[in-house]
Amino acid sequence: MEAALIVDLPNTSTAAVSKKLVALRSDTGAMALSRVLTLVVVVDEAEAEDAIEVANDASRQHPCRIIVVVGSNRRGAARLDGQIRVGGDAGASEVVVLRLYGRLASHGRAVVTPLLLADSPIVAWWPAEAPKDPSTDPIGEMAQRRITDAARTQGPPKTVLKRLAKSYAPGDTDLAWSRITLWRGLLTAALDQPPFEPVTEALVVAAPDSPSGELLAGWLASRLRCPVSLARSKSGSGIISVRLERKSGTVDLVRPEDGSTSMLRQVGQPDRTLALPHRSDAECLADELRRLDPDEVYEDALTKGFPTLTSARRTASEAVKAGAAPSPAEAERTTQRLRRAARVAGSSAMVEKRPMPEDGADTETVKAAAAAKLAEVKERRS
């Protein structure tokens, strides 16, 4: 990959940074004409480079100007160190890194404002610790969308989500919500198939340190309007399973720990394996940059569904033993069995009857037949 052009501007001003951006635009061509928004990233020094990498990856789908406000040492004289990155690992964007020192560290909005793209939406993102009320934060106030990450915010997930629910304002969202997009899609698709019966109860098995598990349960409560409870898996395991109870039987969606494939089981349907990979932060951020209007489904999950959840009073193993939750071990065995069956079926379908070489056919003819079969297998697999 082509190396990024990096220009350091130590002990500078926003006017000097803006002037340098204009000069770089003149030197490199119309690099900023396709920018569709300004992404303001508020982060500490320790997380700055990781956040820039994630923002760069997301910007390949949504070209933007990325302004990274790094809160550095608040002691000493006020100073602004700037850095501009274009091309290479800057993705489809131009990255402006602003390191604020001394009293200037408390005036991020004033520093950012002159560098915003004119007449374009503003999105604020806190990759780690977020303000208690994002919509009243000085930078959050000027943004159409405000993205937090409850999984990276200090405190128990339930406490963090309660705070976010209390301070919710249209435009707020969270990467913990984006991480369950695939879960929501698979569950919705399962309920779109017969029998079309109401769900009477639901259980989500997730780790106690997973705000995504809480939000998934909140979404089910707000959408299905039925009692939803949680069971605790071990910390770090994320979301393990969802069980939906209906009159005719259960709908189970299970992703064994550390897996990227899930098993879906429902009455009247054969067991199926479905792709359910863990989503990267860049994928989740790109999703949130895709829409700039308020996310009313997230609002309902956070402010209406989440408060109604029954506390996780039992562990995942206790729920499985009681028959209230599907067994991840059994789901793993079923997934492996279905994979083996699919491979066997695929091999049988690929091995078609072909005219065999007549007795005495030369070796090249046999080789050609084998090569044709191999090419056909590769084509079907692709």
Side-chain angles (χ1 to χ4, degrees):
M1 180 182 293
E2 179 187 356
L5 172 62
I6 300 178
V7 179
D8 289 314
L9 300 168
N11 198 12
T12 187
S13 65
T14 53
V17 174
S18 182
K19 184 177 180 180
K20 189 63 179 178
L21 276 169
V22 174
L24 287 173
R25 188 177 306 130
S26 177
D27 293 341
T28 60
M31 68 177 185
L33 294 182
S34 63
R35 307 301 182 240
V36 297
L37 57 88
T38 302
L39 175 62
V40 182
V41 185
V42 186
V43 67
D44 288 336
E45 185 68 55
E47 293 90 11
E49 288 302 324
D50 288 341
I52 291 171
E53 183 178 353
V54 170
N56 284 338
D57 287 346
S59 75
R60 299 181 192 282
Q61 297 184 42
H62 309 281
C64 56
R65 174 175 288 178
I66 301 171
I67 302 176
V68 185
V69 182
V70 182
S72 299
N73 194 342
R74 294 177 178 267
R75 297 180 180 179
R79 189 176 90 246
L80 167 63
D81 286 349
Q83 185 183 78
I84 301 173
R85 306 181 188 183
V86 294
D89 64 357
S93 302
E94 52 193 11
V95 180
V96 181
V97 184
L98 305 173
R99 289 182 167 85
L100 311 183
Y101 299 88
R103 291 180 299 171
L104 197 59
S106 301
H107 299 280
R109 175 171 179 164
V111 176
V112 165
T113 300
L115 300 172
L116 299 173
L117 290 176
D119 302 321
S120 67
I122 302 167
V123 178
W125 174 40
W126 293 268
E129 198 65 29
K132 292 184 178 180
D133 188 346
S135 65
T136 61
D137 177 83
I139 289 179
E141 278 184 332
M142 62 182 183
Q144 282 76 42
R145 292 276 283 179
R146 294 166 295 275
I147 306 171
T148 53
D149 191 346
R152 302 277 306 277
T153 303
Q154 291 184 358
K158 185 166 289 188
T159 302
V160 174
L161 291 176
K162 284 181 179 179
R163 188 171 73 233
L164 291 174
K166 184 177 180 181
S167 65
Y168 176 84
D172 289 356
T173 189
D174 197 278
L175 291 190
W177 171 250
S178 312
R179 293 185 184 108
I180 62 172
T181 298
L182 300 180
W183 282 90
R184 293 192 294 123
L186 293 179
L187 290 169
T188 299
L191 292 179
D192 278 344
Q193 301 176 29
F196 301 105
E197 300 171 332
V199 176
T200 58
E201 189 176 353
L203 173 69
V204 175
V205 177
D209 58 354
S210 171
S212 293
E214 301 275 355
L215 287 174
L216 180 59
W219 171 72
L220 290 170
S222 66
R223 296 288 102 181
L224 301 177
R225 298 182 181 180
C226 69
V228 181
S229 57
L230 290 117
R232 302 187 309 274
S233 58
K234 67 179 182 180
S235 295
S237 59
I239 302 172
I240 298 297
S241 67
V242 175
R243 167 164 286 183
L244 307 178
E245 299 276 0
R246 297 190 294 187
K247 183 178 180 180
S248 60
T250 62
V251 177
D252 290 338
L253 181 61
V254 191
R255 180 177 65 187
E257 187 180 347
D258 298 328
S260 60
T261 304
S262 65
M263 184 206 71
L264 177 65
R265 173 174 290 171
Q266 57 190 128
V267 175
Q269 302 272 355
D271 293 345
R272 287 178 287 167
T273 58
L274 302 168
L276 188 53
H278 294 270
R279 309 191 76 206
S280 69
D281 286 351
E283 289 176 301
C284 295
L285 181 60
D287 273 2
E288 294 302 337
L289 296 180
R290 188 169 290 116
R291 58 176 301 169
L292 298 173
D293 57 313
D295 189 339
E296 296 175 351
V297 179
Y298 168 70
E299 178 186 0
D300 288 346
L302 178 67
T303 64
K304 297 179 182 178
F306 169 66
T308 68
L309 301 180
T310 303
S311 299
R313 297 181 179 179
R314 55 183 170 180
T315 65
S317 57
E318 290 171 343
V320 171
K321 188 175 182 180
S327 167
E330 181 187 349
E332 178 66 25
R333 290 192 294 270
T334 301
T335 299
Q336 292 177 356
R337 175 176 57 79
L338 293 174
R339 284 176 176 171
R340 288 194 298 269
R343 285 196 295 267
V344 170
S347 299
S348 300
M350 290 177 184
V351 179
E352 298 177 355
K353 289 186 177 181
R354 293 179 177 274
M356 295 299 294
E358 297 179 0
D359 292 341
D362 59 26
T363 306
E364 292 304 320
T365 303
V366 176
K367 287 183 178 180
K373 184 179 293 186
L374 179 61
E376 182 180 354
V377 169
K378 288 183 177 179
E379 182 180 356
R380 293 190 180 185
R381 286 180 177 174
S382 62

